Amino acid sequence: MSDKVIIEEGEPMPEYPDVVSVNVVDDWVLFIEFADGHKNTVDFKPFIFSDDVNPMNHRYRDPVKFREFNITYGELKWDDYDMGFPNSQLYDVKEMAPA
């Protein structure tokens, strides 16, 4: 049996719970808690330091700037949505990598 969720064309994407709490674990590593009680630790360093990332996101290589995140409408974001990730990724991944 596969762990993959296959969504047929026209089917709505499953909704993921809101982010309710975020704590810094280390530089570029965040502990994220969701409304359903699920908790996940995500390492953003591979994404932030990738050459494939939008150069606008290079400012978050500064650990102080990276820590300037907030939760808005249940989503984790930086500045005015300059950088953000879907809750579906934050819920499941351990290491954020560029697309």
Side-chain angles (χ1 to χ4, degrees), residues 17-94:
D18 288 347
V19 172
V20 295
S21 174
V22 179
N23 292 297
V24 176
V25 174
D26 201 354
D27 291 341
W28 306 285
V29 179
L30 301 178
F31 178 78
I32 304 167
E33 189 170 353
F34 295 84
D36 67 351
H38 179 78
K39 298 171 179 136
N40 194 20
T41 301
V42 181
D43 182 359
F44 291 86
K45 189 173 185 174
F47 178 84
I48 298 295
F49 285 88
S50 170
D51 291 332
D52 295 332
V53 171
N54 182 333
M56 195 167 137
N57 290 335
H58 290 180
R59 72 179 107 176
Y60 300 109
R61 291 178 178 180
D62 173 357
V64 173
K65 183 71 175 164
F66 178 78
R67 292 172 187 230
E68 294 176 2
F69 57 83
N70 58 48
I71 300 169
T72 304
Y73 301 114
E75 297 178 336
L76 175 63
K77 68 177 188 78
W78 285 259
D79 293 322
D80 189 23
Y81 287 98
D82 283 347
M83 185 171 76
F85 302 90
N87 287 3
S88 58
Q89 283 184 311
L90 299 173
Y91 197 88
D92 294 323
V93 302
K94 297 296 180 194

